[in-house]
Amino acid sequence: MNKIAIIIGAGPAGLTAAYELLDKTDIKPIIFEATDMIGGISQTNVYKGNRIDIGGHRFFSKSKTVMDWWMNILPLQQSPSYDDKILNKSLDYSLLNNITEIDISKDYAENLDPEKTDDLFLIRNRISRILFLKKLFNYPITLNSDTLKKLGASRTLKIGIDYIKTLIHKLPEDNLENFYINHFGKELYKTFFEKYTYKVWGIECKNIAADWGAQRVKGLNISKAIIHAIHEHTKTNEKNVETSLIEQFLYPKLGPGQMWENVAKKIIENGGEIHFNSKVTGLIIENNIIKSVTVDNQQEVSGDYFISTMPVKDLIHAINHNNPSEVPEDIYEISKGLVYRDFITVGILLNDINLKNETNTPTINNILPDTWIYIQENDVKLGRVQIFNNWSPYLVSDHDKVWLGLEYFCNEGDELWNMSDEAMSNFAINELDQINFANKSDVLDSVVIRIPKAYPAYFGSYDKFDNIKGFVDNFNNLFLIGRNGMHRYNNMDHSMLSAMEAVNNIITGRADNENIWSVNSEKEYHESADNKGD
């Protein structure tokens, strides 16, 4: 009889693990997903024909393994998409080719035209900017004439002087505030990072561990941004460009959920199982080995290997539920102190928006070309706006309308989270009007989507997380992977790499899981603050 791997969660990590097990072993994966959705935070919701990407997901990785894996599921477009055809733009892979080793010249058996076929990747251009002082600034900030004009000469000079000071005198990086100051200088930190980070996490930067900055910002600083601007101006190729500065990325025609829905189909076709609305509420242990899981406090399912992507807080509670003697009191208390930041997206359909395209990038109806706009205005709670039209024209049912995703960071149970859908929609629409992004009179429709435990936080009892890591690693057939599974702000590719490492450990019989925990702690895995939703 084939061995069984019980996988908790049908997000990118859990689905990757199941796919890899079926591809490389005779082990049968059985996935239990607590919701009715595929893809975790990488799901795609559909509302009246309009598609919503939760948080925004750029499919790009410095890992060739991940890039090849994705493209094995969805091939690259071979003909221009709807918007490119309307704008008479030809396919251009040049920027993507400069910074990745993927084979973009691969010959496919058919002409993959996005206008005729759904299952493919689009090549999309990345433009992200910051709305501050009712003006749009480049992201990352570049000290060019446009920035100088918008910030004013005196503030820009102070930013430069402060950054030079940080090159001479570094602060101890024992919190996120010092980390940002060391990378960008105090003035730029206070201008663009301090209050926005408070929006995201709900606490001050000085109370957040520097680990978050190290994972999200990597080596990016003012010097890198200036060098990138010079290369951009001179068309210099840069293989080692920071991920936060990439100019192109892959994107599934119908949103990120399309990738994971296709992977789920392959898992089922190849003999795996996926059970929806099935919450793992307990784990049963014998002699330091996980023997089975309890689903919805009723059904017991046995397995040989157990792969968890569920929030660590919930995992420890599930172990304690069936085996209270197995969980030391200090481990249980640390798990209860782990903090998560929750997430609300308000999808808003409009006739038009007020901000106009003043760039050299042409768009349909001349809407802003941005994928993301970070809202640094301090008088609103709105954190970021996605313009779904620019991620993929196929996310929008009517190309003459503008389809936005307004992103709010909150805590489950707080004022924002507890608002009715109608009240939350009205709140978001009023804020959009308040910052003059769009007029309330142009709003046609809206929808509210709430995602609990979207972002594991680097405060609370996080400083004692190594104790939990040591505890769970005692169970030889238990593997923690993915963003919530590892309580680490992983991007999608990091979550996939952790799943691949777990499967390799199962295949090789490796006794420790340090290679899993090393994913996204090594320099080459790090990503950018710009890529929050990945």
Side-chain angles (χ1 to χ4, degrees), residues 141-160:
I141 287 295
T142 51
L143 301 183
N144 55 23
S145 58
D146 181 65
T147 303
L148 177 65
K149 179 180 177 182
K150 290 175 179 176
L151 282 179
S154 61
R155 180 179 283 174
T156 304
L157 181 61
K158 190 172 182 181
I159 287 172

Side-chain angles (χ1 to χ4, degrees), residues 71 76 78 93 97 102-108:
M71 292 175 63
L76 282 175
Q78 299 293 294
Y93 302 122
N97 191 35
I102 65 171
D103 181 9
I104 60 174
S105 60
K106 182 177 179 180
D107 291 327
Y108 294 101

Side-chain angles (χ1 to χ4, degrees), residues 235-300:
K235 305 299 182 184
T236 302
N237 292 343
E238 179 57 82
K239 290 282 185 181
N240 297 317
V241 65
E242 299 298 338
T243 308
S244 57
L245 304 175
I246 69 164
E247 304 293 346
Q248 284 185 327
F249 58 92
L250 305 180
Y251 195 76
K253 172 184 172 180
L254 301 178
Q258 182 184 13
M259 164 63 69
W260 302 111
E261 289 158 12
N262 282 11
V263 172
K265 289 177 186 176
K266 292 179 182 294
I267 289 169
I268 294 170
E269 288 170 359
N270 291 316
E273 296 180 16
I274 303 177
H275 300 273
F276 295 100
N277 297 310
S278 301
K279 183 177 181 180
V280 171
T281 52
L283 280 76
I284 297 172
I285 299 170
E286 292 180 13
N287 300 321
N288 241 32
I289 297 292
I290 312 294
K291 303 298 290 186
S292 60
V293 296
T294 304
V295 181
D296 295 324
N297 292 315
Q298 296 176 346
Q299 179 186 12
E300 185 177 331

